Amino acid sequence: MDFNTCCAYCCTGLSLFGVVGLVSFGLVLQAGGNWYLGVSEENAKGAAQGCFVGAGIYAAYIVLCGYRVCKLARKKPDREREEGLLERYD
């Protein structure tokens, strides 16, 4: 596995974790759990909006990195064929 492939998988996985975490925090803040996260009541709405914006940014990374992963996955058989690893299937 080359560096580009590893980086694309890592970015996709971390972005998935980021979206889940930030959406969870945003929902907790909206539901009145600001005391749980240590956010003052007057800042809870802004903090929740910030979490949702951050989740949207991570979602964009999922789309872009996921596209890159799919693109790399389609190229993999071609590379292996060029290296002679798939000769038995020809």
Side-chain angles (χ1 to χ4, degrees):
M1 181 181 301
D2 62 348
F3 182 72
N4 289 332
T5 306
C6 183
C7 187
Y9 279 106
C10 182
C11 181
T12 303
L14 289 176
S15 296
L16 283 169
F17 179 74
V19 167
V20 170
L22 286 171
V23 167
S24 300
F25 291 155
L27 292 174
V28 167
L29 288 167
Q30 276 188 337
N34 53 326
W35 59 271
Y36 183 71
L37 296 175
V39 177
S40 65
E41 195 168 326
E42 59 270 359
N43 293 333
K45 184 178 179 181
Q49 288 176 348
C51 288
F52 293 133
V53 168
I57 292 170
Y58 274 118
Y61 273 97
I62 291 171
V63 170
L64 297 173
C65 292
Y67 172 75
R68 180 74 176 160
V69 166
C70 291
K71 189 176 174 183
L72 290 170
R74 277 186 261 132
K75 284 185 177 182
K76 186 176 180 179
D78 294 336
R79 277 191 302 218
E80 289 176 351
R81 186 170 285 118
E82 288 173 5
E83 294 172 359
L85 297 175
L86 292 178
E87 291 176 8
R88 62 181 177 196
Y89 297 114
D90 291 336

